[in-house]
Amino acid sequence: MAIHGSRNLLLFSATALLAVATILAQSPGSGSPQQQPMPSQPSNPGMSTPDATSGNATTSQQFSDQAFVAKALAGGDAEVQLGQLAQQKSQSNDVKQFAQKMVSDHSQMGDKWFKPVAQKIGASVPKGPDKKDKKLIAKLQTLSGQDFDNQYIQAMLKDHKQDLKDFQEEAQATQDPNLKQVAQQGATIIQQHLQLIQQVAKNHNVTESEGSM
């Protein structure tokens, strides 16, 4: 009887274990956690690569905008000082007339256009021309007569070509609507300046390669 009872007990235990194993196998929560599908990372906006790239691009453009405005203000100050110098030193009416326009236009562009924009976008306002333009001003102060006119005309040809390129590129690149409008309007004025100085250069037989700084 003892042996028969033991067999019954073993058979019952085996049946119970098989039932438990079957229940576990059918449970929806069974299985290793590593086998569960992982949530997709791009569903988190903060981790999205396109968003991160876009943020870096925006920051880079903001720095570029600030640098452009600071450079435009410094260049405008140089145009004003060079124009004032040309009015004093030049003996040619067309050069003096062009110089007067430089003083008037660049003063207005700086005070009414670029300084308000600089305040809005956090750009620094330079105290005057940069080192390169200060060197040019110092050099022209030592000249007079036709020598002064030739060097001044050459400098204006070179500067306005570069400025026109810079303004046009900024107008295309910036996402700031106020700065875009200023850059577009500034490019139009600088293009007019370039056409004027090209005519003055023709009057004085000054080529664009002559007297390079």
Side-chain angles (χ1 to χ4, degrees), residues 17 21 34 50 62 75 77 85 96 106 112 116 125 156 168 171 182:
L17 289 174
Q34 287 79 3
Q62 288 173 346
D77 286 343
L85 186 63
K96 287 186 176 184
H106 283 282
K112 295 185 178 181
V125 177
M156 292 298 97
Q168 289 174 335
V182 166

Side-chain angles (χ1 to χ4, degrees), residues 1 10 15-16 32 65-66 78 83 93 96-97 100 104 114-115 120 128-130 133-134 137 146 149 151 155 186-187:
M1 294 295 294
L10 290 172
T15 302
S32 173
D65 289 348
Q66 291 171 347
N93 288 333
K96 287 186 176 184
Q97 290 173 358
Q100 174 58 43
S104 176
F114 280 103
K115 287 182 180 179
K120 289 181 180 179
D130 60 20
D133 285 332
K134 286 181 179 178
I137 293 170
Q146 191 61 42
D149 286 348
Q151 293 294 323

Side-chain angles (χ1 to χ4, degrees), residues 42 44-60:
N44 183 353
M47 298 296 292
S48 172
T49 300
D51 287 349
T53 302
S54 177
N56 290 338
T58 300
T59 300
S60 176

Side-chain angles (χ1 to χ4, degrees), residues 150-167:
N150 290 348
Q151 293 294 323
Y152 175 71
I153 292 168
Q154 175 61 34
M156 292 298 97
L157 286 169
K158 182 178 180 181
D159 287 351
H160 282 83
K161 275 192 168 183
Q162 184 61 52
D163 289 346
L164 180 58
K165 179 181 177 182
D166 292 344
F167 274 63

